[in-house]
């Protein structure tokens, strides 16, 4: 197999070449396991929803053991508690580590973003391998801390951005490194506005904490506040917001929409999927309809608990850009919130746009990375190119990986996504057609052309579609994730980590990769609190021209929850 000097340079820069050469198989006995078939003893912090989906993929129908579960909300975690009846059960993860720690090899971690660093570091310090959901942390300081912790404690790590395990993400890097679109100077990525409620102006009065919830453990390191399930004014706010952005009807959750019934990557017409990220759409609706204010899902929109769509979907959508363009925070020059709705007091705004400027990286020139989320959906199409021209031509061009992959949908619809039901069809009342789309949610602008990726990096193509129709892929030189060819890249991502736990090669989004990626990305969540360009100093880990906004770079921990290496 032959490689251009350009391709080999970028492949080596990306850490793509195994120490033993291409196709080498690292020893699986390095960590003392008698064979790669020996079962891991798994635990999870979070027994329902996304952490359960991750745990099930790692467990792989009994290929590993599940020995302990911790969830501060036993109603939320009831599915996992029932699925693994022999596992020790706890509400407080600290008790789980104290009492069952000797039985645990590895931990799947999926509480709200603000608790990722606390839970993950506690496990790593006890020598446990860790799979932590995306984004790795809520703040940049925490992301760097976990990067350093992975170096110190020498455990197997993985961030839960499973698009990294899809062939299309790797092919996107190979296309870019081949020089097909020239030097990339801009990247544009986008999503629609959040499914969860944001923009509230007041906090409802306290309500009793359900017996099934340990509210103090749920808050964890965050500043204490009373529990509330919301009130009628909150419900009215949700109804008005959904009507405004079309979220329930015809939007992300509408029939045919990416997260809606019958939509690719969403709920099938008969009900929710068996697990995985697709169920997030259903969970968001359930959270809104149940009257939850902070939990079980709406925490994503609060400054103190989540990172809104920046960390929820930006970490997926910008994955191919992070890999292909080697976007490390040491190259970051500045971050700027270039557009936003009036800033709410305690939640993220519904519409915003961010710009990250990176310096040259090796032979790659400076690049500006844009992230948008707004109700309209599509945010970018190449100048002088119509949406119809930009789309892939059905039935032509290379097919990269499975036709859909897990959740490999096309944001906003387009020629390859289902349309809303015709007038008179079941569920069609009041549902507008999906916005016209070019089929991508991330576009790379190069000096010789354009490349786009979709979903979590689960599809790739050249723009216009006529160019993709005639394109021949470069020879592969990045190792493919084992099992990704089955179409279940979520399972491939989790099993990639399990293999690393047993002494195999580091997982594809281990913390040496996922940590720096999260660090620069979540600086966007900090930047919304300032006007103008924020200059980043990597060595100091702070913005140099606005000291006030640095309080969103490093969190203040509630007494008793502080963390350090």
């Amino acid at each position: 197999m032959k490689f251009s000097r350009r391709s080999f340079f970028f492949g080596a820069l990306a850490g793509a070449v195994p120490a033993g050469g291409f196709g080498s198989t690292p020893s699986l006995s390095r960590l003392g396991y008698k064979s790669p078939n020996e079962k891991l003893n798994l635990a999870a912090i979070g027994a329902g929803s996304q952490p359960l989906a991750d745990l099930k993929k790692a467990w792989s129908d009994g290929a590993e053991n599940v020995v302990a579960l911790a969830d501060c909300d036993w109603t939320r975690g009831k599915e996992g508690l029932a699925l693994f009846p022999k596992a020790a059960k706890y509400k407080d993860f600290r008790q789980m580590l104290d009492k069952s720690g000797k039985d645990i090899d590895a931990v799947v971690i999926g509480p709200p973003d603000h608790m990722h660093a606390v839970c993950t570091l506690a496990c790593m310090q006890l020598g446990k391998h860790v799979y932590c959901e995306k984004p790795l942390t809520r703040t940049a300081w925490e992301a760097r801390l976990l990067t350093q912790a992975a170096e110190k404690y020498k455990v197997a790590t993985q961030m839960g951005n499973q698009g990294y395990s899809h062939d299309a993400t790797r092919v996107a890097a190979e296309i870019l490194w081949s020089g097909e679109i020239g030097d990339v100077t801009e990247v544009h990525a986008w999503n629609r506005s959040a499914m969860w409620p944001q923009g509230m102006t007041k906090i409802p009065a306290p309500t009793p904490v359900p017996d099934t919830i340990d509210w103090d453990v749920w808050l964890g390191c965050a500043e204490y506040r009373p529990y509330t399930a919301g009130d009628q004014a909150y419900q009215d706010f949700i109804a008005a917001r959904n009507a405004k952005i079309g979220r329930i009807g015809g939007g992300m959750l509408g029939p045919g929409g990416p997260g809606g019934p019958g939509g690719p990557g969403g709920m099938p017409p008969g009900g929710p999927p068996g697990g995985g990220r697709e169920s997030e759409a259903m969970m968001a609706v359930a959270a809104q309809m149940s009257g939850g204010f902070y939990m079980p899902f709406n925490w994503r929109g609060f400054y103190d608990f989540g990172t809104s769509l920046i960390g929820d979907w930006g970490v997926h959508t910008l994955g191919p850009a992070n890999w292909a363009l080697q976007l490390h925070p040491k190259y970051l020059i500045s971050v700027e919130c270039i557009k936003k709705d009036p800033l709410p007091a305690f939640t993220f705004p519904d519409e915003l746009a961010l710009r990250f400027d990176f310096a040259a990286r090796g032979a790659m020139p400076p690049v500006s990375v844009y992230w948008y989320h707004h109700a309209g959906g599509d945010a970018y199409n190449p100048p002088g190119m119509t949406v119809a021209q930009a789309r892939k031509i059905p039935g032509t061009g290379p097919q990269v990986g499975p036709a859909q992959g897990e959740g490999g949908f096309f944001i906003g619809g387009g020629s390859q996504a289902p349309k809303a039901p015709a007038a008179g069809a079941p569920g069609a009342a009041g549902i507008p057609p999906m916005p016209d789309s070019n089929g991508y949610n991330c576009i790379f602008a190069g000096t010789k052309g354009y490349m786009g990726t979709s979903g979590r990096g689960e599809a790739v193509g050249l723009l216009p579609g006529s160019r993709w129709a005639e394109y021949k892929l470069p020879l592969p030189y990045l190792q493919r994730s084992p099992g990704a060819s089955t179409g279940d890249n979520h399972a491939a991502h989790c099993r990639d980590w399990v293999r690393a736990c047993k002494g195999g090669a580091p997982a594809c989004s281990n913390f040496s990769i996922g940590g720096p990626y999260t660090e620069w990305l979540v600086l966007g969540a900090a930047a919304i609190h300032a006007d103008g360009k924020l200059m980043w100093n990597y060595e100091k880990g702070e913005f140099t021209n606005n000291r006030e906004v640095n309080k969103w770079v490093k969190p203040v921990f509630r007494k008793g929850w502080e963390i350090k290496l």
Side-chain angles (χ1 to χ4, degrees):
M1 189 177 294
K2 295 181 180 179
F3 308 94
S4 70
R5 292 180 63 190
R6 176 187 180 95
S7 296
F8 187 85
F9 171 77
F10 288 131
L13 185 64
V17 184
F22 294 98
S24 65
T25 303
S27 170
L28 292 178
S29 62
R30 180 161 52 87
L31 296 187
Y33 283 84
K34 296 179 181 178
S35 94
N37 296 319
E38 184 172 339
K39 292 186 176 183
L40 283 177
N41 285 342
L42 297 170
I45 300 175
S49 184
Q50 191 55 45
L52 176 61
D54 296 335
L55 178 64
K56 288 164 67 175
K57 298 295 186 181
W59 168 65
S60 192
D61 293 325
E64 315 301 334
N65 299 319
V66 175
V67 299
L69 298 169
D71 200 312
C72 59
D73 181 354
W74 279 15
T75 297
R76 183 73 159 160
K78 64 181 180 181
E79 182 183 352
L81 299 176
L83 181 62
F84 302 107
K86 294 182 180 180
K89 299 171 178 61
Y90 303 89
K91 282 190 175 179
D92 192 328
F93 75 94
R94 297 168 298 181
Q95 293 181 2
M96 179 184 77
L97 294 176
D98 182 50
K99 296 181 179 180
S100 295
K102 65 182 184 300
D103 302 320
I104 297 170
D105 296 319
V107 186
V108 171
I109 299 166
D113 294 356
H114 73 288
M115 286 296 289
H116 283 191
V118 172
C119 296
T120 302
L121 184 62
C123 294
M124 295 170 78
Q125 288 175 330
L126 292 177
K128 313 304 178 187
H129 308 298
V130 288
Y131 180 107
C132 183
E133 255 309 317
K134 55 78 193 168
L136 185 59
T137 60
R138 183 178 70 89
T139 67
W141 180 87
E142 293 170 299
R144 189 175 296 191
L145 184 73
L146 290 191
T147 303
Q148 295 167 344
E151 296 174 357
K152 178 177 181 178
Y153 297 113
K154 309 299 183 186
V155 295
T157 60
Q158 180 85 305
M159 179 170 72
N161 56 326
Q162 79 263 37
Y164 257 46
S165 285
H166 198 280
D167 285 357
T169 295
R170 300 165 192 232
V171 169
E174 291 167 350
I175 292 172
L176 191 149
W177 296 340
S178 75
E180 180 65 28
I181 67 168
D183 290 326
V184 175
T185 57
E186 290 185 359
V187 177
H188 297 266
W190 61 92
N191 205 317
R192 305 191 74 187
S193 52
M195 295 181 291
W196 50 85
Q198 296 181 156
M200 292 83 78
T201 58
K202 70 172 186 175
I203 298 176
T207 58
V209 179
D211 293 339
T212 58
I213 296 174
D214 188 322
W215 177 238
D216 188 71
V217 172
W218 189 93
L219 282 174
C221 60
E223 180 182 356
Y224 183 82
R225 70 214 65 199
Y227 174 86
T228 179
D231 56 16
Q232 187 57 50
Y234 173 58
Q235 292 296 321
D236 293 343
F237 170 85
I238 291 174
R241 179 178 180 273
N242 287 339
K244 177 183 177 182
I245 64 177
R247 183 59 62 214
I248 300 300
M252 285 287 284
L253 305 183
M267 291 182 286
R277 293 183 189 275
E278 293 83 352
S279 60
E280 287 189 353
M282 179 194 68
M283 294 187 295
V285 175
Q288 293 179 2
M289 298 306 180
S290 69
F293 189 70
Y294 297 115
M295 59 186 305
F297 188 78
N298 296 346
W299 53 265
R300 286 197 179 277
F302 289 82
Y303 300 139
D304 288 351
F305 304 130
T307 49
S308 191
L309 278 168
I310 300 165
D312 181 53
W313 262 101
V315 71
H316 285 313
T317 309
L318 286 166
N322 184 69
W323 193 332
L325 296 175
Q326 295 298 288
L327 301 179
H328 193 283
K330 66 185 178 182
Y331 299 114
L332 184 66
I333 299 171
S334 63
V335 187
E336 182 178 5
C337 186
I338 57 178
K339 180 182 179 182
K340 61 188 173 187
D341 281 347
L343 203 62
F346 49 85
T347 74
F348 287 82
D350 267 333
E351 298 201 8
L352 61 80
L354 298 167
R355 173 174 170 162
F356 302 84
D357 284 316
F358 290 86
R361 292 135 353 269
M364 290 183 281
V367 64
S368 296
V369 177
Y370 295 85
W371 167 254
Y372 319 86
H373 64 248
H374 59 96
D378 281 8
Y380 183 83
N381 204 61
M385 191 183 303
T386 67
V387 169
Q389 289 171 334
R391 293 178 190 143
K392 290 181 180 179
I393 301 172
T396 67
Q399 177 58 55
V400 180
Q404 291 257 321
E406 187 196 20
F409 57 80
F410 297 89
I411 296 292
S415 61
Q416 302 191 48
K419 299 297 182 182
I431 298 174
M434 296 182 71
D436 209 11
S437 168
N438 56 38
Y440 300 102
N441 62 355
C442 183
I443 291 179
F444 297 71
T447 55
K448 297 181 181 179
Y450 298 89
M451 181 182 74
T453 57
S454 304
R456 305 176 183 90
E458 295 134 327
V460 62
L462 296 175
L463 292 77
S466 58
R467 185 172 180 180
W468 183 248
E470 300 176 354
Y471 183 63
K472 303 299 181 183
L473 294 176
L475 291 173
Y477 52 87
L478 286 177
Q479 286 189 313
R480 298 312 192 239
S481 179
S485 60
T486 65
D488 191 348
N489 58 293
H490 186 190
H493 202 61
C494 294
R495 295 300 295 177
D496 184 33
W497 169 65
V498 168
R499 183 180 63 168
C501 293
K502 294 183 177 183
C508 64
S509 193
N510 69 81
F511 290 1
S512 71
I513 297 168
Y517 178 20
T518 301
E519 180 178 330
W520 73 256
L521 184 75
V522 299
L523 286 173
I528 71 165
H529 298 282
D531 295 321
K533 186 175 293 187
L534 296 169
M535 308 307 294
W536 179 245
N537 184 307
Y538 175 71
E539 286 71 25
K540 293 182 177 180
E542 65 182 22
F543 293 118
T544 58
N545 62 331
N546 189 325
R547 302 294 181 182
E548 179 65 20
V549 81
N550 282 324
K551 69 181 182 181
W552 300 103
V553 174
K554 179 181 179 180
V556 175
F557 292 90
R558 187 156 61 113
K559 187 176 181 180
W561 291 90
E562 301 87 352
I563 57 175
K564 63 180 181 179
L565 286 180

